Amino acid sequence: MKANELREKYLSFFESHGHTRISSSSIVPENDPTVLFTTAGMHPLVPYLLGEHHPAGKRLTDVQKCIRTSDIDEVGDASHLTFFEMLGNWSLGDYFKEEAIKFSYEFLTSPKYLNIPKDKLYFTVFAGDNEAPKDNESYNIWRSLGVEESHLFFLPKENNFWILGSGVGPCGPDTEMFYDTGKPACGKDCSPACDCGKYLEIWNDVFMEFYKDENGKLSKLSQQNVDTGMGLERTITVLNGYESVYDTEIFAGVKEKLEELSHLKYEDNKKSFRIIMDHMRTSTFILADDHGITPSNVGAGYVLRRLLRRTIRHLKKLNIEENVLGTLAKIYIEEYQNIYDELKRNEEIVLNELTKEYNKFSRTLKDGERLFYKTIKHLENNILSGNDAFKLFDTFGFPIEMTLELAHENNLEVDMDGFNEAFKLHQEKSRTIDAGSFKGGLADTSEASIKYHTLAHLLLATLQEIYGKEVYQKGCNITSERIRFDFNLDHKLSEEEKMKIEARVNEMIQTNTPVTFAEMPYEKAKEEGAHGTFENKYGEMVKVYTIGNLSKEICGGPHVTNTGVLGHFKIIKEESSSAGVRRIKGILEE
Ligand code: SER
């Protein structure tokens, strides 16, 4: 089975069971300053899991683009990927365990769908602890479907309880589905909990009925939800009996191109090939995202830079010296263009940015070499310290392999233990950033954050009044303390301009205009002139928030009900965010 077929089968199966198909959300979570990328299908749906009404209904199905970079250094093995697609079905306060498990079992075993032999499937359920009870209900449902006792395992929280990396938000016990690869058991205690490779997880049904707060306290949500996630790449790997995700057709085009360019074989150079195949795909999706992320030294831009620089380094290892990044990106753009239309739409941006970063990195390599020689002039012995090597890597982006190579040429040693220690510290830091502390479609749904959310609509309306309709929102970060709003504009704001924006926003606030919303098809919203979201929602029901005749935007909400409650808007900073993009930081005062 191929990826395209699995995607379609999954979505149409759930459609036939009353689910509405919704499109993937952006790869960057909206309005959430605490996390760099969407790491699970759940990210964009948090407000609805908490009880907001979703315009497409209570049963949804989707394929969500996800990025997880905390294991970036593992990429190169058979299974790790930094980008993946997550197939999901959702019950927002509708069905719960029984139907969810029945759907999963039918999809896995029915000859019309995945047709997996029943004896190949194993299941785990939550064993319970002092916070949440043992999930006998799920166990009994699997048994009622004919699953043998020997194919069912009760496992503790670390295996069978799901929450976002931050450890805060909607969560609950889950039941996971595993495929037996047929490899021999690694010992008498071998189970799906074991990572020896015998059992591979393909699907996870999470029963989200709890909310975990910042203090770690678990409480019941107002509704019982189901969030399921099936990793697309991993599932087609398993279904086809492949050894590795990189054997799937998804990577075939780029693999072939790399063999052609390098005159080397994938089989003999798996690690570099895999790193390039993975990182180029992730980078292409990040660059094509409408948020306009470009390589930089902070946040998502830094992750992108690392992915690209690592790609270039591994291309060099394959003796490919010229810039082929665009050639490789184009293969992915062709492959995915019918599913994710931002790829074609933003192709030019993707290709330009790739060339810019390639040229920049070439300069870095030259500068790094210069700095290396400067550093070694001051050495007291023939050892380059771990800190110096790390500084070259971290501050100047100079790869450690290059440092080792140059050290070798100059009869020096590198304190690799010291380097690894510094590197580990840095990694832990970036893991924390990656996990973030995601709390919802808004960073949180506190009254203060909701006010900033409505402010964002007024700010966009004001900017469009002043600079024209071609100004649009490039990104927005909200906390309960401030708003950070990015928009496209070709110049720095003068003092007068800032004052004019503040004054107009405050004028809008003082009109005490009610904020209302209606649900309608995406096409109708566009016809009515509603400003869009980053995502394409053709054929979907959306929410449109209207603020009198001031603003009309497609948006999930929530919002305040009247502009009058916002208080007084003040710009505290205006700066450049990236080329052609300005960033306003603002606050609301009583
Ligand atoms: N949220 C769960 C996961 O990411 C199921 O979608 O595995």
Side-chain angles (χ1 to χ4, degrees):
M1 181 169 309
K2 300 213 154 103
N4 284 340
E5 197 187 338
L6 176 58
R7 241 188 246 111
E8 198 43 45
K9 273 199 166 165
Y10 189 97
L11 297 171
S12 56
F13 172 79
F14 282 100
E15 273 179 332
S16 75
H17 286 289
H19 294 65
T20 305
R21 214 185 261 230
I22 57 166
S23 49
S24 173
S25 288
S26 162
I27 219 159
V28 179
E30 288 293 298
N31 300 322
D32 185 2
T34 56
V35 80
L36 299 179
F37 295 109
T38 299
T39 59
M42 171 181 153
H43 261 161
L45 290 168
V46 170
Y48 311 104
L49 296 166
L50 297 178
E52 273 291 300
H53 177 249
H54 194 291
K58 292 184 169 193
R59 292 183 179 210
L60 311 175
T61 183
D62 64 356
V63 188
Q64 175 63 43
K65 298 175 283 184
C66 299
I67 291 185
R68 289 185 190 169
T69 56
S70 49
D71 287 331
I72 190 169
D73 297 307
E74 310 286 331
V75 174
D77 68 4
S79 63
H80 276 90
L81 294 170
T82 52
F83 171 92
F84 63 96
E85 293 175 83
M86 183 89 105
L87 299 154
N89 57 285
W90 305 84
S91 158
L92 304 170
D94 192 44
Y95 60 84
F96 204 45
K97 295 182 183 177
E98 178 150 5
E99 266 180 288
I101 290 177
K102 283 185 176 162
F103 288 150
S104 292
Y105 199 58
E106 185 188 345
F107 187 70
L108 290 171
T109 59
S110 157
K112 246 179 97 185
Y113 296 99
L114 299 193
N115 200 19
I116 301 177
K118 295 181 178 164
D119 62 336
K120 291 289 236 175
L121 290 167
Y122 286 77
F123 307 89
T124 62
V125 287
F126 180 49
D129 63 10
N130 52 7
E131 278 191 308
K134 184 173 178 180
D135 191 3
N136 286 317
E137 193 185 341
S138 294
Y139 182 90
N140 290 331
I141 299 167
W142 288 119
R143 290 284 290 133
S144 76
L145 294 171
V147 174
E148 304 282 341
E149 270 176 46
S150 60
H151 284 232
L152 275 159
F153 293 80
F154 278 107
L155 293 177
K157 201 171 233 161
E158 66 200 68
N159 303 90
N160 278 73
F161 195 94
W162 204 88
I163 187 159
L164 283 169
S166 61
V168 175
C171 56
D174 65 44
T175 180
E176 300 183 13
M177 291 148 257
F178 290 79
Y179 183 86
D180 178 3
T181 58
K183 285 188 187 153
C186 64
K188 72 174 178 13
D189 291 331
C190 188
S191 83
C194 162
D195 56 12
C196 69
K198 178 172 176 57
Y199 302 100
L200 296 178
E201 186 202 331
I202 48 178
W203 206 353
N204 181 12
D205 289 1
V206 187
F207 304 117
M208 286 196 170
E209 55 174 335
F210 297 110
Y211 184 87
K212 195 167 208 166
D213 68 18
E214 285 84 352
N215 306 318
K217 203 173 142 301
L218 218 56
S219 55
K220 280 253 183 188
L221 285 173
S222 61
Q223 62 187 36
Q224 290 181 318
N225 308 289
V226 175
D227 152 15
T228 94
M230 175 186 266
L232 177 88
E233 292 81 353
R234 184 191 284 213
T235 303
I236 52 169
T237 305
V238 165
L239 291 177
N240 290 296
Y242 294 140
E243 281 283 309
S244 155
V245 284
Y246 296 101
D247 296 334
T248 61
E249 82 286 355
I250 294 172
F251 298 102
V254 170
K255 191 189 281 177
E256 203 176 295
K257 189 52 135 193
L258 284 174
E259 289 194 330
E260 180 194 316
L261 291 167
S262 67
H263 309 289
L264 294 169
K265 287 271 160 245
Y266 164 71
E267 288 305 321
D268 307 325
N269 299 277
K270 280 188 182 155
K271 188 164 177 200
S272 289
F273 266 72
R274 286 170 176 176
I275 289 173
I276 298 166
M277 293 191 282
D278 171 79
H279 288 10
M280 262 329 289
R281 189 170 69 133
T282 311
S283 304
T284 305
F285 273 97
I286 298 176
L287 281 168
D289 193 276
D290 288 311
H291 279 84
I293 296 167
T294 52
S296 74
N297 288 331
V298 288
Y302 179 61
V303 173
L304 174 61
R305 171 157 284 167
R306 274 190 71 195
L307 290 167
L308 286 174
R309 295 194 165 187
R310 212 150 167 242
T311 303
I312 297 170
R313 226 160 27 72
H314 283 275
L315 284 168
K316 286 188 193 295
K317 279 195 177 178
L318 300 179
N319 305 323
I320 304 175
E321 290 292 339
E322 72 273 33
N323 175 13
V324 298
L325 301 181
T327 310
L328 302 178
K330 273 196 206 159
I331 298 174
Y332 285 127
I333 293 174
E334 289 303 311
E335 186 170 332
Y336 285 100
Q337 60 176 331
N338 294 331
I339 301 147
Y340 301 109
D341 76 343
E342 69 276 15
L343 291 171
K344 202 76 195 164
R345 188 156 33 83
N346 294 327
E347 181 169 9
E348 218 180 292
I349 299 175
V350 176
L351 300 179
N352 277 341
E353 287 298 331
L354 288 174
T355 302
K356 274 206 281 197
E357 187 60 13
Y358 182 87
N359 294 339
K360 235 185 217 157
F361 189 48
S362 303
R363 280 199 300 276
T364 299
L365 290 179
K366 277 201 200 99
D367 292 349
E369 208 169 315
R370 206 167 34 79
L371 279 155
F372 174 87
Y373 283 111
K374 209 167 131 192
T375 309
I376 64 172
K377 258 199 214 144
H378 307 290
L379 291 187
E380 282 159 12
N381 49 26
N382 67 338
I383 298 174
L384 185 74
S385 76
N387 272 342
D388 278 340
F390 186 73
K391 197 168 150 203
L392 275 163
F393 165 78
D394 191 42
T395 318
F396 304 107
F398 197 61
I400 183 68
E401 286 80 0
M402 308 294 291
T403 304
L404 284 168
E405 224 172 86
L406 289 177
H408 185 71
E409 282 167 24
N410 291 278
N411 296 319
L412 294 172
E413 277 178 39
V414 182
D415 171 13
M416 280 309 287
D417 286 344
F419 174 83
N420 286 331
E421 212 168 288
F423 184 76
K424 225 167 111 195
L425 263 173
H426 163 87
Q427 216 179 9
E428 271 157 24
K429 248 195 319 200
S430 56
R431 265 203 188 131
T432 324
I433 296 171
D434 196 34
S437 57
F438 186 79
K439 297 185 207 94
L442 282 175
D444 61 65
T445 43
S446 68
E447 218 177 296
S449 290
I450 293 173
K451 283 184 186 170
Y452 279 109
H453 195 191
T454 306
L455 171 69
H457 288 213
L458 295 181
L459 189 52
L460 178 66
T462 298
L463 293 168
Q464 290 188 332
E465 257 183 36
I466 300 178
Y467 300 106
K469 288 285 176 219
E470 53 291 352
V471 169
Y472 59 95
Q473 177 178 329
K474 293 281 285 183
C476 178
N477 268 196
I478 287 169
T479 71
S480 57
E481 266 108 51
R482 55 110 182 113
I483 185 170
R484 209 180 75 192
F485 190 93
D486 293 358
F487 60 104
N488 57 317
L489 192 72
D490 59 2
H491 65 270
K492 185 170 171 54
L493 298 183
S494 66
E495 282 310 309
E496 285 99 272
E497 285 177 285
K498 280 192 256 178
M499 275 159 61
K500 194 167 159 191
I501 295 167
E502 278 175 352
R504 180 59 182 140
V505 170
N506 285 319
E507 200 175 77
M508 287 183 174
I509 292 173
Q510 281 151 19
T511 54
N512 291 325
T513 306
V515 182
T516 57
F517 76 87
E519 295 180 359
M520 62 184 79
Y522 177 79
E523 283 74 7
K524 181 154 186 281
K526 282 278 149 192
E527 242 170 64
E528 291 191 0
H531 289 293
T533 65
F534 286 116
E535 298 119 35
N536 290 301
K537 304 248 176 210
Y538 293 101
E540 289 176 29
M541 289 293 287
V542 294
K543 257 186 195 171
V544 173
Y545 274 88
T546 303
I547 311 179
N549 54 11
L550 298 172
S551 150
K552 198 185 259 292
E553 277 195 50
I554 297 173
C555 171
H559 283 281
V560 301
T561 50
N562 190 297
T563 59
V565 302
L566 295 188
H568 184 82
F569 171 60
K570 206 167 149 203
I571 295 178
I572 51 170
K573 198 169 177 189
E574 189 271 342
E575 61 190 347
S576 158
S577 145
S578 59
V581 180
R582 307 302 305 176
R583 170 169 291 175
I584 284 180
K585 278 193 188 152
I587 53 168
L588 286 169
E589 295 171 326
E590 289 293 311

